[in-house]
Amino acid sequence: MKLITSFDEMRDAVKEHRRAGDSIGLVPTMGFFHAGHVSLMESADHENDMVVVSIFVNPTQFGPGEDFEDYPRNLDRDMEMAEQAGADYIFHPAVEDMYPRPYLTYISVEDITEGLCGAKRRGHFTGVATVVAKLFNIIPADRAYFGLKDAQQVRVIEKMVEDLNFNIEIAKCPTIRESDGLALSSRNMYLNGEERSAAAILYRSLQAAGEMISRGERDASAIIAGINKLLDSEELIEPEYVEVVDYRLLHPLEELRGEVLIALAARVGKARLIDNLLINLAQSPD
Ligand code: AMP
Protein backbone atom coordinates (compact mmCIF):
# COMPACT_ATOMS: atom_id res chain seq x y z
CA MET A 1 0.00 0.00 0.00
CA LYS A 2 1.27 3.46 -0.91
CA LEU A 3 0.76 6.81 0.81
CA ILE A 4 0.26 9.68 -1.66
CA THR A 5 -0.09 13.35 -0.81
CA SER A 6 0.43 14.94 -4.23
CA PHE A 7 -2.42 15.42 -6.74
CA ASP A 8 -0.15 14.70 -9.74
CA GLU A 9 1.13 11.48 -8.24
CA MET A 10 -2.42 10.37 -7.42
CA ARG A 11 -3.66 11.15 -10.94
CA ASP A 12 -0.69 9.27 -12.47
CA ALA A 13 -1.36 6.20 -10.31
CA VAL A 14 -5.03 6.17 -11.35
CA LYS A 15 -4.07 6.61 -15.03
CA GLU A 16 -1.67 3.69 -14.85
CA HIS A 17 -4.32 1.40 -13.35
CA ARG A 18 -6.84 2.56 -15.96
CA ARG A 19 -4.39 1.72 -18.72
CA ALA A 20 -4.03 -1.77 -17.22
CA GLY A 21 -7.84 -2.10 -17.34
CA ASP A 22 -8.30 -2.06 -13.55
CA SER A 23 -11.58 -0.98 -11.99
CA ILE A 24 -11.16 1.59 -9.24
CA GLY A 25 -12.95 1.94 -5.91
CA LEU A 26 -12.73 5.09 -3.77
CA VAL A 27 -13.48 5.32 -0.03
CA PRO A 28 -13.58 8.97 1.13
CA THR A 29 -12.96 9.35 4.87
CA MET A 30 -11.74 11.74 7.55
CA GLY A 31 -9.60 8.98 9.10
CA PHE A 32 -9.35 7.65 12.68
CA PHE A 33 -10.62 4.34 11.42
CA HIS A 34 -13.01 1.93 13.08
CA ALA A 35 -14.85 -1.16 11.83
CA GLY A 36 -17.36 1.04 9.94
CA HIS A 37 -14.60 2.46 7.73
CA VAL A 38 -13.07 -1.01 7.40
CA SER A 39 -16.36 -2.44 6.11
CA LEU A 40 -16.42 0.22 3.36
CA MET A 41 -12.84 -0.63 2.38
CA GLU A 42 -13.58 -4.36 2.34
CA SER A 43 -16.59 -3.83 0.07
CA ALA A 44 -14.46 -1.66 -2.21
CA ASP A 45 -11.76 -4.34 -2.23
CA HIS A 46 -14.27 -7.09 -3.18
CA GLU A 47 -15.81 -5.09 -5.99
CA ASN A 48 -12.78 -3.40 -7.58
CA ASP A 49 -9.27 -4.23 -8.78
CA MET A 50 -7.74 -1.22 -7.06
CA VAL A 51 -8.82 0.74 -3.96
CA VAL A 52 -7.96 4.30 -2.95
CA VAL A 53 -8.85 5.41 0.58
CA SER A 54 -8.74 9.16 1.07
CA ILE A 55 -8.04 10.59 4.50
CA PHE A 56 -8.77 14.29 4.78
CA VAL A 57 -10.26 16.14 7.74
CA ASN A 58 -12.16 18.62 5.62
CA PRO A 59 -12.24 22.09 7.22
CA THR A 60 -15.10 23.37 5.02
CA GLN A 61 -17.60 20.89 6.47
CA PHE A 62 -17.01 22.04 10.06
CA GLY A 63 -18.89 25.09 11.32
CA PRO A 64 -17.50 27.73 13.69
CA GLY A 65 -17.15 26.22 17.18
CA GLU A 66 -17.30 22.65 15.86
CA ASP A 67 -14.57 20.09 16.46
CA PHE A 68 -12.24 20.57 13.43
CA GLU A 69 -9.17 21.17 15.62
CA ASP A 70 -10.01 18.42 18.09
CA TYR A 71 -11.11 15.84 15.51
CA PRO A 72 -9.10 12.67 16.26
CA ARG A 73 -6.26 11.83 13.87
CA ASN A 74 -3.87 8.85 13.73
CA LEU A 75 -2.34 8.33 10.30
CA ASP A 76 0.01 5.46 11.27
CA ARG A 77 -2.76 3.37 12.77
CA ASP A 78 -5.10 4.23 9.87
CA MET A 79 -2.49 3.07 7.34
CA GLU A 80 -2.15 -0.31 9.08
CA MET A 81 -5.92 -0.80 9.19
CA ALA A 82 -6.41 0.27 5.57
CA GLU A 83 -3.70 -2.08 4.34
CA GLN A 84 -5.29 -4.97 6.24
CA ALA A 85 -8.66 -4.10 4.67
CA GLY A 86 -7.24 -4.27 1.15
CA ALA A 87 -6.49 -0.63 0.29
CA ASP A 88 -3.83 -0.06 -2.39
CA TYR A 89 -3.38 3.69 -1.88
CA ILE A 90 -3.99 6.20 0.87
CA PHE A 91 -4.57 9.68 -0.53
CA HIS A 92 -3.82 12.21 2.20
CA PRO A 93 -3.68 15.73 0.74
CA ALA A 94 -2.72 18.88 2.64
CA VAL A 95 -5.41 21.45 3.47
CA GLU A 96 -3.45 24.17 1.60
CA ASP A 97 -3.42 22.03 -1.56
CA MET A 98 -7.12 21.17 -1.39
CA TYR A 99 -8.08 24.78 -0.71
CA PRO A 100 -5.54 27.08 -2.41
CA ARG A 101 -6.05 30.68 -1.32
CA PRO A 102 -8.22 32.42 -2.27
CA TYR A 103 -10.57 29.42 -2.55
CA LEU A 104 -13.78 30.53 -4.29
CA THR A 105 -15.69 27.55 -5.70
CA TYR A 106 -18.27 25.51 -3.77
CA ILE A 107 -20.99 23.02 -4.63
CA SER A 108 -24.32 23.65 -3.03
CA VAL A 109 -26.97 20.91 -3.19
CA GLU A 110 -30.31 22.57 -2.48
CA ASP A 111 -33.45 21.51 -0.62
CA ILE A 112 -32.35 18.10 0.71
CA THR A 113 -29.66 19.90 2.73
CA GLU A 114 -32.21 22.14 4.51
CA GLY A 115 -33.51 19.70 7.12
CA LEU A 116 -32.09 17.14 9.57
CA CYS A 117 -28.37 17.80 10.17
CA GLY A 118 -28.38 20.58 7.55
CA ALA A 119 -30.71 22.69 9.69
CA LYS A 120 -28.29 22.77 12.62
CA ARG A 121 -25.02 22.54 10.69
CA ARG A 122 -25.38 25.39 8.19
CA GLY A 123 -22.96 25.01 5.28
CA HIS A 124 -21.92 21.51 6.36
CA PHE A 125 -23.22 19.75 3.25
CA THR A 126 -21.75 22.39 0.94
CA GLY A 127 -18.38 21.50 2.46
CA VAL A 128 -19.10 17.78 2.04
CA ALA A 129 -20.32 18.07 -1.58
CA THR A 130 -17.38 20.30 -2.48
CA VAL A 131 -14.69 18.02 -1.07
CA VAL A 132 -16.30 14.89 -2.53
CA ALA A 133 -16.58 16.51 -5.98
CA LYS A 134 -12.90 17.46 -5.75
CA LEU A 135 -11.98 13.89 -4.78
CA PHE A 136 -14.06 12.52 -7.69
CA ASN A 137 -12.13 14.81 -10.06
CA ILE A 138 -8.73 13.86 -8.67
CA ILE A 139 -9.57 10.14 -8.45
CA PRO A 140 -12.05 9.30 -11.22
CA ALA A 141 -13.13 5.99 -9.72
CA ASP A 142 -15.78 3.56 -10.97
CA ARG A 143 -17.41 3.31 -7.55
CA ALA A 144 -17.31 5.36 -4.36
CA TYR A 145 -18.32 3.89 -0.99
CA PHE A 146 -20.34 5.71 1.67
CA GLY A 147 -21.93 4.58 4.94
CA LEU A 148 -25.66 4.80 5.55
CA LYS A 149 -24.93 5.95 9.09
CA ASP A 150 -24.68 9.36 7.42
CA ALA A 151 -27.86 8.86 5.38
CA GLN A 152 -28.38 12.53 4.52
CA GLN A 153 -24.78 12.73 3.32
CA VAL A 154 -25.38 9.73 1.04
CA ARG A 155 -28.48 11.37 -0.48
CA VAL A 156 -26.59 14.65 -1.00
CA ILE A 157 -23.77 12.82 -2.80
CA GLU A 158 -26.21 10.75 -4.87
CA LYS A 159 -28.05 13.92 -5.94
CA MET A 160 -24.83 15.75 -6.76
CA VAL A 161 -23.68 12.82 -8.91
CA GLU A 162 -27.04 12.77 -10.70
CA ASP A 163 -27.28 16.54 -11.19
CA LEU A 164 -23.65 17.15 -12.21
CA ASN A 165 -23.29 13.99 -14.37
CA PHE A 166 -20.41 12.45 -12.47
CA ASN A 167 -19.64 9.08 -14.04
CA ILE A 168 -19.36 7.21 -10.76
CA GLU A 169 -21.51 4.65 -8.97
CA ILE A 170 -22.36 5.41 -5.34
CA ALA A 171 -22.28 2.29 -3.18
CA LYS A 172 -24.25 2.53 0.09
CA CYS A 173 -22.93 0.42 2.97
CA PRO A 174 -24.84 -0.63 6.12
CA THR A 175 -24.11 0.89 9.54
CA ILE A 176 -21.66 -1.09 11.66
CA ARG A 177 -22.49 -1.11 15.37
CA GLU A 178 -21.02 -1.95 18.77
CA SER A 179 -22.53 -4.99 20.52
CA ASP A 180 -25.02 -2.75 22.38
CA GLY A 181 -26.12 -1.19 19.09
CA LEU A 182 -24.24 2.13 19.27
CA ALA A 183 -23.20 3.09 15.73
CA LEU A 184 -19.42 3.22 15.41
CA SER A 185 -18.17 6.77 15.02
CA SER A 186 -14.81 8.49 15.35
CA ARG A 187 -16.62 10.87 17.72
CA ASN A 188 -17.49 8.08 20.20
CA MET A 189 -14.00 8.65 21.63
CA TYR A 190 -15.28 11.93 23.13
CA LEU A 191 -17.60 9.93 25.47
CA ASN A 192 -16.71 9.09 29.07
CA GLY A 193 -17.84 5.75 30.56
CA GLU A 194 -21.24 6.95 31.73
CA GLU A 195 -21.96 8.79 28.49
CA ARG A 196 -20.91 5.75 26.47
CA SER A 197 -23.41 3.53 28.34
CA ALA A 198 -26.16 6.14 27.98
CA ALA A 199 -25.51 6.48 24.23
CA ALA A 200 -26.85 2.97 23.61
CA ILE A 201 -30.36 4.42 23.99
CA LEU A 202 -30.01 6.09 20.57
CA TYR A 203 -30.19 2.81 18.67
CA ARG A 204 -32.50 1.18 21.23
CA SER A 205 -35.02 3.96 20.56
CA LEU A 206 -34.73 3.37 16.80
CA GLN A 207 -35.21 -0.36 17.34
CA ALA A 208 -38.31 0.36 19.40
CA ALA A 209 -39.58 2.51 16.51
CA GLY A 210 -38.92 -0.42 14.16
CA GLU A 211 -40.99 -2.65 16.43
CA MET A 212 -43.86 -0.14 16.45
CA ILE A 213 -43.77 -0.14 12.64
CA SER A 214 -43.74 -3.97 12.52
CA ARG A 215 -46.87 -3.91 14.68
CA GLY A 216 -48.53 -1.70 12.05
CA GLU A 217 -47.94 1.85 13.34
CA ARG A 218 -47.83 4.28 10.39
CA ASP A 219 -48.33 7.63 12.18
CA ALA A 220 -45.02 9.54 12.13
CA SER A 221 -45.89 11.62 15.19
CA ALA A 222 -46.51 8.44 17.23
CA ILE A 223 -43.12 7.06 16.13
CA ILE A 224 -41.37 10.33 17.01
CA ALA A 225 -43.11 10.48 20.41
CA GLY A 226 -42.05 6.86 21.12
CA ILE A 227 -38.41 7.65 20.35
CA ASN A 228 -38.42 10.91 22.33
CA LYS A 229 -39.89 9.15 25.35
CA LEU A 230 -36.99 6.70 25.41
CA LEU A 231 -34.38 9.41 24.79
CA ASP A 232 -35.88 11.48 27.64
CA SER A 233 -35.40 8.53 29.98
CA GLU A 234 -31.59 9.05 29.77
CA GLU A 235 -30.45 12.20 31.55
CA LEU A 236 -27.15 12.38 29.69
CA ILE A 237 -28.84 12.50 26.28
CA GLU A 238 -29.79 15.87 24.86
CA PRO A 239 -31.81 15.24 21.69
CA GLU A 240 -31.27 17.68 18.80
CA TYR A 241 -33.83 16.26 16.37
CA VAL A 242 -35.92 13.17 15.78
CA GLU A 243 -37.52 13.08 12.35
CA VAL A 244 -39.39 10.74 10.04
CA VAL A 245 -38.73 11.62 6.39
CA ASP A 246 -39.03 10.22 2.92
CA TYR A 247 -35.56 8.79 2.16
CA ARG A 248 -35.35 10.16 -1.38
CA LEU A 249 -36.61 13.72 -0.78
CA LEU A 250 -35.74 13.97 2.93
CA HIS A 251 -39.10 15.73 3.47
CA PRO A 252 -41.05 15.03 6.67
CA LEU A 253 -43.77 12.39 6.40
CA GLU A 254 -47.02 12.41 8.35
CA GLU A 255 -47.83 8.86 7.42
CA LEU A 256 -45.12 6.26 6.82
CA ARG A 257 -44.96 4.91 3.31
CA GLY A 258 -42.32 3.99 0.74
CA GLU A 259 -38.67 4.27 1.74
CA VAL A 260 -38.76 5.82 5.18
CA LEU A 261 -35.78 7.27 7.04
CA ILE A 262 -36.10 7.69 10.78
CA ALA A 263 -33.19 9.90 11.75
CA LEU A 264 -31.98 11.41 15.01
CA ALA A 265 -29.16 13.52 16.38
CA ALA A 266 -28.29 14.06 20.02
CA ARG A 267 -25.61 15.60 22.15
CA VAL A 268 -24.02 13.23 24.62
CA GLY A 269 -21.42 15.09 26.66
CA LYS A 270 -18.98 16.66 24.21
CA ALA A 271 -20.11 14.47 21.32
CA ARG A 272 -22.81 15.12 18.77
CA LEU A 273 -24.00 11.68 17.62
CA ILE A 274 -26.34 10.71 14.79
CA ASP A 275 -28.10 7.48 13.91
CA ASN A 276 -30.97 6.32 11.74
CA LEU A 277 -33.14 3.49 10.58
CA LEU A 278 -34.02 3.04 6.91
CA ILE A 279 -37.17 1.02 6.33
CA ASN A 280 -38.72 0.09 3.01
CA LEU A 281 -42.49 -0.05 3.30
CA ALA A 282 -42.99 0.00 -0.47
CA GLN A 283 -43.82 -3.70 -0.56
CA SER A 284 -46.20 -3.65 2.39
CA PRO A 285 -49.86 -4.49 1.50
CA ASP A 286 -51.35 -1.18 2.75
P1 AMP B 1 -15.97 9.80 8.29
O1 AMP B 1 -14.53 9.43 8.40
O2 AMP B 1 -16.68 9.88 9.59
O3 AMP B 1 -16.19 10.98 7.38
O4 AMP B 1 -16.67 8.58 7.56
C1 AMP B 1 -16.19 8.08 6.32
C2 AMP B 1 -17.20 7.14 5.76
O5 AMP B 1 -17.42 6.06 6.68
C3 AMP B 1 -18.57 7.80 5.53
O6 AMP B 1 -19.11 7.33 4.30
C4 AMP B 1 -19.37 7.31 6.71
O7 AMP B 1 -20.76 7.24 6.44
C5 AMP B 1 -18.80 5.92 6.90
N1 AMP B 1 -19.07 5.44 8.27
C6 AMP B 1 -18.84 6.11 9.43
N2 AMP B 1 -19.28 5.39 10.49
C7 AMP B 1 -19.81 4.24 9.97
C8 AMP B 1 -20.42 3.08 10.54
N3 AMP B 1 -20.59 2.96 11.86
N4 AMP B 1 -20.84 2.10 9.71
C9 AMP B 1 -20.68 2.22 8.37
N5 AMP B 1 -20.10 3.28 7.76
C10 AMP B 1 -19.67 4.27 8.55
Side-chain angles (χ1 to χ4, degrees):
M1 194 188 66
K2 196 166 176 203
L3 173 67
I4 294 184
T5 56
S6 122
F7 291 13
D8 286 346
E9 210 181 319
M10 192 66 250
R11 282 188 212 281
D12 287 347
V14 170
K15 253 190 235 155
E16 210 170 289
H17 281 275
R18 279 256 172 267
R19 235 180 269 130
D22 288 348
S23 60
I24 298 170
L26 169 65
V27 184
T29 80
M30 298 205 299
F32 206 71
F33 293 153
H34 50 64
H37 298 109
V38 168
S39 78
L40 267 54
M41 296 177 212
E42 287 174 346
S43 298
D45 186 38
H46 285 144
E47 294 165 11
N48 301 276
D49 299 313
M50 184 272 241
V51 174
V52 182
V53 175
S54 64
I55 300 180
F56 182 65
V57 183
N58 174 35
T60 64
Q61 71 187 70
F62 290 79
E66 289 188 2
D67 56 346
F68 174 68
E69 299 294 342
D70 295 342
Y71 197 84
R73 293 157 168 92
N74 190 338
L75 185 60
D76 289 340
R77 180 171 154 273
D78 284 353
M79 297 230 317
E80 275 173 33
M81 289 175 76
E83 182 155 29
Q84 281 278 318
D88 298 289
Y89 296 90
I90 295 281
F91 180 55
H92 181 52
V95 172
E96 313 80 75
D97 292 337
M98 284 295 263
Y99 295 108
R101 282 168 193 266
Y103 189 83
L104 304 175
T105 309
Y106 292 90
I107 290 185
S108 154
V109 178
E110 296 178 4
D111 190 66
I112 58 172
T113 54
E114 295 290 312
L116 305 173
C117 289
K120 280 275 160 18
R121 303 187 73 190
R122 288 277 161 211
H124 168 70
F125 288 112
T126 294
V128 170
T130 301
V131 79
V132 171
K134 288 167 69 68
L135 290 168
F136 287 178
N137 283 329
I138 300 160
I139 304 153
D142 297 281
R143 294 172 201 89
Y145 294 78
F146 292 89
L148 277 167
K149 198 207 83 169
D150 301 279
Q152 188 174 18
Q153 170 170 283
V154 171
R155 278 304 296 142
V156 169
I157 301 302
E158 283 181 330
K159 197 71 189 96
M160 178 188 79
V161 163
E162 184 185 347
D163 290 355
L164 296 182
N165 311 95
F166 279 99
N167 187 19
I168 191 163
E169 185 189 316
I170 301 303
K172 302 189 275 267
C173 303
T175 301
I176 306 297
R177 301 178 178 283
E178 302 276 10
S179 55
D180 65 356
L182 178 66
L184 292 177
S185 164
S186 307
R187 291 188 168 101
N188 291 351
M189 59 99 59
Y190 298 146
L191 303 171
N192 67 26
E194 254 184 307
E195 290 160 355
R196 169 62 192 81
S197 307
I201 196 74
L202 301 182
Y203 186 57
R204 275 214 303 280
S205 70
L206 289 169
Q207 276 180 310
E211 283 157 21
M212 287 172 79
I213 295 166
S214 310
R215 289 196 298 269
E217 183 60 75
R218 294 292 181 270
D219 177 8
S221 58
I223 301 287
I224 292 170
I227 293 175
N228 274 324
K229 195 169 165 210
L230 282 172
L231 296 183
D232 288 346
S233 70
E234 273 290 355
E235 250 177 57
L236 296 173
I237 305 284
E238 214 183 295
E240 191 178 275
Y241 68 75
V242 177
E243 288 200 44
V244 175
V245 299
D246 171 86
Y247 171 69
R248 224 174 54 79
L249 302 171
L250 301 184
H251 287 173
L253 288 171
E254 282 179 20
E255 193 194 311
L256 280 67
R257 71 163 79 95
E259 255 196 301
V260 176
L261 179 72
I262 305 173
L264 58 80
R267 295 212 165 262
V268 191
K270 203 165 115 24
R272 178 183 181 278
L273 303 181
I274 59 172
D275 203 349
N276 68 72
L277 197 65
L278 186 58
I279 295 184
N280 194 345
L281 295 171
Q283 275 92 43
S284 65
D286 45 354

